[in-house]
Amino acid sequence: MKGTILNIAFLNSNGGLISASTEAWKDMNYEQKEGEREKKKPSMPPRVPRISPSASTEMADRQFAVITSEKESKVISLPSQTCAYRAKIAESSYVVKADVISMPNKELCLACYIANGHVVIYSLPSLRLLLDYDFVPLTDLRVGRTFQFSAHGKALYQCSPTEIQRLTVCAEHSNSLHDMLGDLFIPCTTPEAPSRGFFKNLFSVSSGSLDRQELFGENSGKPSRSIAKHVPGTAGMEAVKAQSQTVGGEIARTKLELIKRGEKLSETEKRTSEMMQNAESFASAANELMKKQKNKKWYQL
């Protein structure tokens, strides 16, 4: 076999699928009575042993093993272990999912999903090609992980994190697929919540939503005097414009007064500097005159 083995199934001499060696258990003697809690001892139905045919009964009781890998599928006759049929499924690609499914006419088929997007169906045990359909290539690993075949030629996979896609290879079921559509939730109108009092919502133990209008609206009671209240004006935009013009005039007047004050201060500073210069010159002249007249006698004056 080429590639990894994906599926192994066993068929009887008539081409029917041999189920696994486990059986579903059901308690046939259990009867539930009112007030009775004791259970009776369960009984298991007798199992029929399955024994592989010996060499003497090889022609009368023959079985087949269907082995499918990533590249091919083989039907091996048991117990002689000879290859009865062989089919190459994928040469340049590989098989992602393979399973033996039953069709509506109770015939068994080998269904394979290939990575290049083809869904192929083979008959069993002859491995004759019945269908080769180009479906969806394997671009997302989620498709390969969730792709599953089921009975009556159906399959499904998860095409997105929130969507499940279903398909069928049976024409009988494809015509009735639209009748099988359904909704996960039935839409219905939500009833109105019962009205509850303010104090009941405020002091209740369970969490509930408080209405803003009940807390701060007119129905909440008389407001405190310390709370500011907005009183809208009656004049509208004209009063706002007049007020802005008045404020603008006051600002211009203040600016003009500041300019005038600055000019007066500069003039005062200039006069002060001139007086300081005159005082310094007078002091120097007086000092020179005192030095000149210091050494003279009284009669020389």
Side-chain angles (χ1 to χ4, degrees):
M1 297 292 293
K2 295 181 180 180
T4 306
I5 295 178
L6 301 178
N7 183 265
I8 298 177
F10 295 94
L11 308 179
N12 55 22
S13 59
N14 297 326
L17 183 64
I18 298 177
S19 59
S21 59
T22 58
E23 297 180 356
W25 174 81
K26 185 178 180 182
D27 188 3
M28 304 300 296
N29 299 326
Y30 178 74
E31 294 179 1
Q32 186 176 2
K33 298 180 181 180
E34 185 176 0
E36 182 182 0
R37 298 182 179 273
E38 296 181 358
K39 298 181 180 179
K40 297 182 180 180
K41 186 178 180 180
S43 61
M44 293 288 294
R47 290 180 54 186
V48 179
R50 295 188 178 95
I51 303 174
S52 300
S54 59
S56 60
T57 61
E58 181 179 353
M59 298 303 297
D61 190 12
R62 191 172 64 172
Q63 297 178 357
F64 297 97
V66 183
I67 305 175
T68 307
S69 67
E70 293 180 345
K71 297 292 184 179
E72 60 182 353
S73 180
K74 290 182 180 181
V75 177
I76 299 176
S77 179
L78 297 177
S80 61
Q81 299 183 5
T82 58
C83 182
Y85 304 98
R86 179 179 179 180
K88 290 184 178 181
I89 302 176
E91 295 182 358
S92 60
S93 185
Y94 63 94
V95 179
V96 179
K97 184 68 178 180
D99 200 358
V100 176
I101 60 175
S102 61
M103 302 301 288
N105 54 2
K106 297 183 180 181
E107 292 183 0
L108 296 179
C109 297
L110 176 64
C112 301
Y113 172 62
I114 309 176
N116 57 11
H118 287 258
V119 177
V120 293
I121 307 296
Y122 292 91
S123 64
L124 289 177
S126 60
L127 290 181
R128 182 170 54 90
L129 182 62
L130 301 178
L131 177 67
D132 187 356
Y133 183 74
D134 189 5
F135 185 54
V136 177
L138 184 63
T139 56
D140 191 357
L141 294 178
R142 184 187 298 107
V143 178
R145 291 196 302 265
T146 59
F147 200 97
Q148 294 291 333
F149 288 102
S150 61
H152 306 296
K154 299 176 184 178
L156 58 87
Y157 66 95
Q158 189 176 3
C159 56
S160 70
T162 58
E163 294 178 336
I164 296 177
Q165 180 73 32
R166 187 171 67 171
L167 61 118
T168 180
V169 296
C170 180
E172 214 177 289
H173 287 276
S174 64
N175 298 329
S176 59
L177 271 181
H178 294 284
D179 300 334
M180 300 179 185
L181 297 177
D183 298 328
L184 292 178
F185 304 98
I186 301 175
C188 61
T189 57
T190 305
E192 296 182 358
S195 59
R196 301 178 64 182
F198 169 73
F199 291 102
K200 189 174 183 180
N201 287 333
L202 186 61
F203 298 106
S204 61
V205 179
S206 60
S207 60
S209 60
L210 296 177
D211 192 5
R212 183 182 180 85
Q213 188 66 22
E214 293 182 1
L215 290 175
F216 307 104
E218 297 179 356
N219 299 328
S220 61
K222 188 176 180 180
S224 177
R225 294 181 179 179
S226 60
I227 299 177
K229 185 177 181 181
H230 174 68
V231 180
T234 57
M237 292 301 296
E238 295 180 358
V240 176
K241 290 181 180 179
Q243 187 177 1
S244 63
Q245 292 176 359
T246 305
V247 173
E250 293 293 334
I251 293 174
R253 189 180 305 165
T254 306
K255 186 177 181 181
L256 184 60
E257 294 292 334
L258 289 174
I259 292 173
K260 290 181 179 180
R261 183 180 179 184
E263 291 177 353
K264 291 181 179 180
L265 289 175
S266 62
E267 290 179 0
T268 305
E269 186 178 358
K270 185 177 180 181
R271 290 178 182 178
T272 305
S273 62
E274 290 178 354
M275 290 176 66
M276 289 180 65
Q277 290 178 2
N278 294 333
E280 289 177 357
S281 61
F282 179 77
S284 61
N287 190 16
E288 290 178 358
L289 181 62
M290 183 186 67
K291 290 180 180 179
K292 187 177 180 181
Q293 299 296 331
K294 182 178 180 181
N295 298 322
K296 289 183 177 184
K297 302 293 183 180
W298 59 273
Y299 56 88
Q300 292 179 351
L301 295 175

